[in-house]
Amino acid sequence: MPSKLLLRSAAAVVVGLALTASLTACGGSSSADSKGEEKVVTVYSADGLKSEKGDGWYDKVFADFTKKTGIEVKYVEGGSGEMVQRAVREKTNTQADVLITLPPFIQQADGKGLLQAYAPQGSDKVSGADKAADAKWTSVVKNYFGFVYNKKELSEAPKTWEELLDAKYKGKLQYSTPGVAGDGTAVLIKSMHDFGGKEPAMEFLKKLQANNVGPSSSTSKLAPKTDKGELLVANGDVQMNFAQSKSMPNLGIWFPAKDGGKPTSFALPYAAGLVDKAPHSENGKKLLDFMLGEEAQKSVSEIGGGFPARTDVKPTDANAVELTRIMAGVEIFEPDWADIDKNLTGYVDAWKSATGS
């Protein structure tokens, strides 16, 4: 994510075609269009929207896109920060056409000059908080930060951060690495909000470290461990964990509150931007248009377990109803992304110092 900051993912980048058999059937093997541009588009993305079983939102959208356009989608997946750093390294020889990652890494990508302005068709229906004012990036799937717990081992979800200090969570709690994973960075953002600032948040996370298994560059790998009971609690995001729960029956979603406060969360959208000097810029534009189209947006909840980025698309499928229930009673706050983008390195350094990581 829902990463998808926070978003996430594997230390080893997984590269693969998002489409296989459908490419041949749909003419995706054609090498160039009438303008001479190769019929391919390369997407660098935080994890969470593509399924290993081939039934994720990316799987459907990319297949439909190729069927309609004949343009093959090449897909590279990794942690939110990892994808940005890879694009930075390739800046003199740009490989990606579209970059999709979570805040604050999409802002970081913009600050490093990786993105060019493009307002996809349908982006006028995306709220101002979920897109850049200068059209450098636009959310394609809305998502929220959250935690997971094992429903089999725990009769009910924990309610507060402070409960996680209990000895029963020693070696049974893990969160992904801030500064590397989007959802891991989200742990810092939410704790600083809930505890009222950097210092009290770091003081708490220092105590929590006694129960923490240790670093993880991949948030998506924590849910399977939680489902199996190897962990009792882990961080994640609503979209990714909701999708995972379909095949992980012991996975429950919850939102920590500070003792005496309300459960909180914040939007952690999958934000997409057209890469500067993209080798297949026109194809990248077409894909962004397609992802924000009504048909693709209507399938966000039903297929991907997330929330449409477009405010005019209001799905009523069973997943949409359940997602509304999950978010009921959760107080949504809006982080100061400009501050986080500016001071992220300092916040991560403070976390490393506090936790000895």
Side-chain angles (χ1 to χ4, degrees), residues 17-32:
L17 295 181
L19 317 172
T20 52
S22 63
L23 295 178
T24 303
C26 304
S29 59
S30 177
S31 60

Side-chain angles (χ1 to χ4, degrees), residues 182-199:
D183 289 325
T185 309
V187 172
L188 291 188
I189 293 172
K190 178 172 158 57
S191 60
M192 286 192 293
H193 171 271
D194 291 356
F195 286 92
K198 182 180 75 172
E199 297 306 323

Side-chain angles (χ1 to χ4, degrees), residues 4 10 35 56 64 99 103 134 136 143 168 186 188 220 230 232 239 262 279 288 290 292 301 310 328 347 356:
K4 149 224 278 336
K35 296 180 181 179
D64 289 348
L99 176 66
D134 60 1
K136 290 290 185 66
N143 190 18
K168 73 178 180 181
L188 291 188
S220 63
E230 295 175 23
L232 292 178
Q239 176 278 323
K262 295 181 179 180
L288 289 171
F290 192 84
L292 271 180
S301 57
R310 287 178 53 157
Y347 293 148

